[in-house]
Every structure is written in structure tokens, then in C-alpha cells.
Amino acid sequence: MEYKTIAISTLLSFYSFFSIAQTFQSIYFPFSDLSIDRMSHGDFNGDSLPDFLIVNSNSGLMQIGINNGLEAPEFKDIPGYKATDDAVIIDIDEDGDLDIIGRTIWEGVYLYLNDGNAIFDRRKFDLADYETIKFSDVTGDGNIEVIVGTFELAVYKMDKTSFNLTLLYAGDFGNGVIGALNAKDLDNDGDLDIIVNIKTSGLVLFEQTAPLMFETKLLYDDIYDAGILDIANINNDNIDDFVLYSYDNRHGKIVLSEGSGQYSDVMIDSGFFTNTLTLVGDLNADNKQEVIVFEFSLTNGFKMSIYEYEEELTELLVVEDHLFAFAGGITDLDNDGDTDFYFFQINGTTPGLVYYLSDGLLMDSEGVGFNTDVEIYPNPAKEIINIDVGGDLSYQVNLYDLEGRLLMSSTNTKHLVLDSTPKGTYLLEIKDKNSDQKVVRKIIIWK
């Protein structure tokens, strides 16, 4: 396990990426398999921490990784498993825990039913092969329906005990193939709509005008072989945008709203690079999604970038590292209330899982920010935290746990000794005693 502080706060503040300076803690966990190409997350054992599902579709590996906080996840096989493509994590039997559904090449579609302790029972699911699948309450009756994309769009009612399927809707596209789909009430009329990417046509909206009655509309005419379709608020105009990613040609694009039902596309990677992974999420709690892109080029090397839309899509270079990251996600990894991200990097020297833990301190400007420099190190820390405050300042140092309990307090100290402090995540507050200005940093303690 390796810790590293990623110094992105200066870059991101310069580009107005965050309202105040923010940093991430990077944690690396070695893993021997070099070909993990799918990864997703969900709380499989009910401890409020997101666990992981990893797949190597070439070798047939499929494992569950139990999140152990700041320690390496515990990966284990699913008994009777088969490598599953396009896996979906959902509580399919509605018993309060998360299950897995996915297709197995040459064998069909399977359910992996969770007993609540990350122990899974594998059983066949009576569904033909599919290109893409989603589970949503399409009819609005409080039950989950199955939305399936192939050469047609189909919606099935599912019995949550027997898992038998009843066809509710089918729409044929002739020779078009649905590569990706998603669902959301785009027009805010109380009915769930379905958005699909047809490889030969582009983005098509299925607007639900009455229960299981759809009107189709071509949102954006394009020929793009997308395998992922995310709905996001990229340009902050209160109209949904779409982020597409193609597994086949390894490039991503954003279809941006321009108002009045018009859209345009923006490539989110250079043509000189291969886009190996694209993640979408609101990293800084500003109700606007950012896009994290991993890229590789034989001539230009590799990089991880964060994009945000400010008048135009702006690339914010974060770090030139992490060769061949093909799988990952965005979630609160350490259950501290902010948004982190993770990915699996594949290279010959440091293959494994990487966490980026956000400091998450997106506070109001009132009372924030010293008129002097503050340096806190090391972070993560084992035995001692050093505190360097510039200038002739009288200040108070307070260490809190994530529930707000004060654990340690001192005046004008240069060090905090951590001998009796358990490993975990804490908040360190440094407060100017004269002006009440303060800075707060998330501190990771490990033993």
C-alpha cells in the first residue's frame, strides 16, 4: 500500500475548478492481475462502504473486493462464478442487499443473488443475450422493470420471486443496434423516459407520454459506437447533457445541450490519445458534473485529466501517471460525505487499485482562508503531524473525528502526536484566534 498527496489545489483553483483549494489523497493497493477491464461498486455486506466487482473478461476472472477503509480491499472469488460482461449491480429481489446480473459469453445471462454478507447464489436468468441493460421503474408502480437494448428496445415486467419476465413493450429499429441506454424523466412530467444510442443513427429519446406509450425523437444525429451513456449536467444550463464512451474505438464525447432541443458534440480527448477510461460525477458539490479522463499515447505518454465546462470545455491537467486505467468509478469511498474516485491501473510495475480520496472541504467563503501560509505534513500520517504557520500568528489547533467530536486541542503548536489516535480519517482545524479565520484539512492517520 502506498500513499501520495496529489497537489492539484493550485491548478484547480487557478482554473476556478473548486470554490476553494482542494486536494486528493492517493492510495495505491497492488494487485497481480494485469487485465482487469471492468469494475463497478456497491455495498455488498451492509457496512456502508462501497465494495468492488472486478472482471477480467479474457481470463474469466470475476471477484468481489470487500472495502476495508484505508486498508487493501479483500478480494475473493464468487463460488461457481463465470466471467460476466456488462454486469449491473442492483437489489434485484428487493430484499435490502445488492445483487449482480450480467451476461456470460456463450452461456447466457445470470443472476448472482446476495445473502446480505457478500455470499452469492448463481442462477440462470431467462433473458436472451443483450447489448445493454438497465433496471428502472418505467411504469411508476413502485416495481422494477427490465429495460433491454439489442436490435430492439424492450421493457419487461419481472417477478421478484421467480424472476420470470413478461414483455410489456418492444420497439424494432430494423438494422440498428442499441449500444447503450439510460433512463430519466427528462421532461419532468412524472414519467420515466428512455434514451438510447443507436450505433447507426445517434441519440434517440423515447418520451413516455402515457404508461408504456412512447414517442421517439432523434436528439442528435451521429454514427458512434457507444457502450456507455451517462446523463449529466455539464454546461449548467438546467438541460441534461450526455456523455458517451466507446469501448471499441476508445474515445469519448459529450453531447451538449444548446437550448430549443438542439445539441452539439465535443470530443473529450485528443485524437492523438487513446481514451482508456471516462468517469462522470460532481466532485466538488456544485451541482455540475465534472469528467475525469484517462488517456494514453505511444508518442505523448499518459495522463489523467479533469474537464469542466466554463464557457467551453476546459482541460485541467491533474497528474501524468496511471498507465492503462481501463476500469473505475466515482463514489464516497471512505464514507465521510464527499465524492472520491477510484480506478484500476494496468502496467508491468505497479498494477493495482488506486483511490483518490477528496478532502471534501467545500465550505462557504465566510471564515475561510488565512492571510498567511499554512503547511500540514505528512498526510497521511503515522505518529506525528507537523504544522507550519507563516508569520507571527496566534492560532488554535483542533482535531475532530468525522462526527464532530473534539479529540485534541492545542495553542500555537508545531506538532500533534498521534500515538493514541486510532487509524482513520479526521478533520484538522487551524483557527486564527484574533480574526476567527480558519483552514480545515482532512487528515488520514494509518498505523
Side-chain angles (χ1 to χ4, degrees), residues 226-246:
I228 297 176
L229 195 170
D230 286 318
I231 303 172
N233 180 19
I234 300 295
N235 57 3
N236 204 28
D237 62 354
N238 296 318
I239 303 175
D240 290 304
D241 309 303
F242 308 97
V243 181
L244 306 177
Y245 179 74
S246 172

Side-chain angles (χ1 to χ4, degrees), residues 304-368:
M304 180 182 74
S305 302
I306 294 180
Y307 290 84
E308 185 180 68
Y309 197 92
E310 294 289 350
E311 302 297 332
E312 63 181 9
L313 195 65
T314 304
E315 180 191 46
L316 307 172
L317 180 63
V318 177
V319 60
E320 294 183 350
D321 204 344
H322 311 307
L323 178 63
F324 296 136
F326 287 102
I330 295 181
T331 188
D332 183 359
L333 288 167
D334 48 4
N335 198 27
D336 65 350
D338 56 31
T339 303
D340 315 303
F341 63 96
Y342 67 89
F343 52 90
F344 205 101
Q345 66 182 18
I346 303 170
N347 58 58
T349 57
T350 56
L353 179 61
V354 180
Y355 288 179
Y356 269 61
L357 302 178
S358 170
D359 66 13
L361 302 171
L362 301 169
M363 299 174 296
D364 295 334
S365 59
E366 181 182 356
V368 177

Side-chain angles (χ1 to χ4, degrees), residues 157-177:
K157 178 181 179 181
M158 182 187 67
D159 186 287
K160 61 184 177 183
T161 301
S162 66
F163 307 110
N164 291 331
L165 299 177
T166 303
L167 182 64
L168 300 177
Y169 171 86
D172 193 355
F173 299 106
N175 59 358
V177 178

Side-chain angles (χ1 to χ4, degrees), residues 189-350:
D189 64 350
D191 295 320
L192 196 69
D193 307 308
I194 302 173
I195 307 92
V196 305
N197 184 79
I198 303 175
K199 296 180 181 181
T200 56
S201 303
L203 276 178
V204 177
L205 168 64
F206 282 72
E207 181 181 354
Q208 189 171 192
T209 56
L212 296 172
M213 299 291 292
F214 296 93
E215 293 183 2
T216 61
K217 176 184 179 181
L218 182 64
L219 294 181
Y220 190 72
D221 187 2
D222 193 15
I223 299 175
Y224 191 72
D225 186 12
I228 297 176
L229 195 170
D230 286 318
I231 303 172
N233 180 19
I234 300 295
N235 57 3
N236 204 28
D237 62 354
N238 296 318
I239 303 175
D240 290 304
D241 309 303
F242 308 97
V243 181
L244 306 177
Y245 179 74
S246 172
Y247 289 119
D248 292 339
N249 64 28
R250 293 292 180 185
H251 285 290
K253 69 166 62 177
I254 300 174
V255 178
L256 285 171
S257 64
E258 295 183 338
S260 302
Q262 301 299 309
Y263 292 85
S264 62
D265 68 357
V266 179
M267 298 302 294
I268 52 176
D269 53 72
S270 166
F272 300 104
F273 283 85
T274 296
N275 175 196
T276 59
L277 176 64
T278 297
L279 304 174
V280 182
D282 184 3
L283 298 177
N284 57 343
D286 63 351
N287 296 317
K288 183 169 59 174
Q289 275 73 30
E290 289 76 45
V291 183
I292 307 172
V293 178
F294 295 81
E295 297 177 292
F296 170 75
S297 166
L298 290 175
T299 56
N300 297 306
F302 42 89
K303 63 178 181 177
M304 180 182 74
S305 302
I306 294 180
Y307 290 84
E308 185 180 68
Y309 197 92
E310 294 289 350
E311 302 297 332
E312 63 181 9
L313 195 65
T314 304
E315 180 191 46
L316 307 172
L317 180 63
V318 177
V319 60
E320 294 183 350
D321 204 344
H322 311 307
L323 178 63
F324 296 136
F326 287 102
I330 295 181
T331 188
D332 183 359
L333 288 167
D334 48 4
N335 198 27
D336 65 350
D338 56 31
T339 303
D340 315 303
F341 63 96
Y342 67 89
F343 52 90
F344 205 101
Q345 66 182 18
I346 303 170
N347 58 58
T349 57
T350 56

Side-chain angles (χ1 to χ4, degrees), residues 420-435:
S420 60
T421 306
K423 69 180 181 181
T425 304
Y426 299 87
L427 298 179
L428 182 65
E429 177 189 70
I430 302 174
K431 184 176 182 180
D432 183 346
K433 297 181 69 175
N434 295 318
S435 69

Side-chain angles (χ1 to χ4, degrees), residues 128-149:
D129 196 10
Y130 58 83
E131 285 287 323
T132 182
I133 191 170
K134 187 173 181 63
F135 295 81
S136 296
D137 182 8
V138 179
T139 59
D141 63 355
N143 296 310
I144 294 173
E145 281 82 42
V146 187
I147 312 171
V148 178

